[in-house]
């Protein structure tokens, strides 16, 4: 049975006090056996969050693919492992667009994360002009083929996919449940085509992009939507709790 996951991507927001407040609030939520909540925090709060020893997982939004070295200002996977961080985000559209992360870099990061047995959320999703041209499926397939499909079936067990249409991120414009389900089904079918039914059935596929307490239940009720990757609405403990409880 695949896991139901709701993850917070706090991006470059919150103070330490606010981060700890939200994290402590989440600890009060009763989770079902196959349900998981992850908080992707700015680096500077990771240690403090881990010190709390809550059942809510803590993840990092990024890392540098090199193990160590003269990379001023960067954080390596070894730093994350040292803090016992369990999950990482790779391929977020903000990293691709704002920081020019190429397919090669994303592929390399996927390898580093998976080889270190971290739970790895691979983000994919099309920009608005691609959606308007009706080429969103082939665009996302291309992202998976160039970033992900070199992994072995065993390595794929560490992967969670987040479908995040770029036009829906931070815009208040959510994909409809039908649009999202259609893409999630396509992603699962593509995985089945490459890896077989068992791998495809076991992989969790999350939706991200203006997901909020008002639309989460409808999205999560779809057959191929196994949860969400939440930006803006995860900065408020009450809203994020409602989203978790919508599962
Ligand atoms: P919003 O929920 O703010 O649209 O952000 C989604 C996102 O980018 C999560 O990674």
């Amino acid at each position: 049975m695949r896991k139901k996951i709701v993850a917070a991507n706090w991006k470059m927001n919150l103070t330490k006090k606010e981060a700890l407040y939200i994290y402590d609030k989440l600890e009060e939520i009763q989770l079902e056996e196959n349900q998981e909540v992850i908080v992707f925090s700015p680096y500077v709060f990771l240690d403090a969050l881990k010190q709390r020893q809550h059942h809510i997982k803590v993840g990092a939004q990024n890392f540098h693919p090199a193990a160590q070295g003269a990379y001023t200002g960067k954080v390596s996977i070894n730093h994350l492992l040292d803090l016992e961080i369990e999950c990482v985000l790779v391929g977020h559209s903000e990293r691709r667009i704002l920081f020019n992360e190429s397919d090669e870099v994303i592929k390399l990061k996927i390898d580093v994360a998976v080889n270190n047995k971290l739970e790895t959320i691979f983000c994919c999703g099309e920009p608005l002009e691609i959606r308007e041209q009706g080429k969103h499926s082939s665009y996302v397939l291309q992202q998976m083929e160039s970033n992900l499909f070199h992994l072995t079936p065993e390595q794929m067990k560490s992967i969670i996919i987040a479908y995040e249409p770029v036009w829906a991120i931070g815009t208040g414009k959510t994909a409809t449940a039908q649009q999202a389900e259609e893409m999630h089904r396509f992603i699962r079918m593509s995985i089945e085509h490459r890896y077989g039914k068992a791998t495809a059935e076991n992989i969790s596929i999350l939706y991200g992009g203006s997901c909020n307490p008002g639309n989460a239940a409808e999205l999560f009720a779809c057959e191929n939507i196994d949860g969400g990757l939440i930006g803006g609405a995860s900065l408020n403990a009450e809203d994020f709790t409602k989203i978790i409880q919508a599962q």
Side-chain angles (χ1 to χ4, degrees), residues 54-89:
H54 289 350
H55 70 286
I56 305 292
K57 288 191 174 178
V58 180
Q61 298 170 19
N62 190 28
F63 58 94
H64 190 280
Q68 63 195 39
Y71 300 98
T72 302
K74 292 295 178 187
V75 167
S76 80
I77 204 104
N78 286 335
H79 290 126
L80 302 179
L81 293 171
D82 194 31
L83 296 185
E84 298 180 8
I85 295 303
E86 297 133 297
C87 328
V88 283
L89 280 183

Side-chain angles (χ1 to χ4, degrees), residues 9 11 89 92-94 123 164 168-172 208-211 229-233:
N9 179 6
K11 306 190 181 183
L89 280 183
H92 194 282
S93 60
E94 286 154 16
C123 305
E164 300 203 302
I169 295 178
T171 58
S210 298
C211 186
L229 180 56
I230 319 299

Side-chain angles (χ1 to χ4, degrees), residues 140-151:
V140 168
L141 179 59
Q142 168 67 37
Q143 287 181 317
M144 290 193 290
E145 282 176 343
S146 42
N147 302 163
L148 198 64
F149 282 0
H150 63 288
L151 295 180

Side-chain angles (χ1 to χ4, degrees), residues 12 27 52 63 65 111 116 124 142 155 176 210 223 235:
M12 199 175 71
E27 178 66 3
R52 295 292 222 248
F63 58 94
D111 286 341
N116 281 285
C124 56
Q142 168 67 37
Q155 289 175 317
T176 62
S210 298
E223 194 184 330
L235 301 173

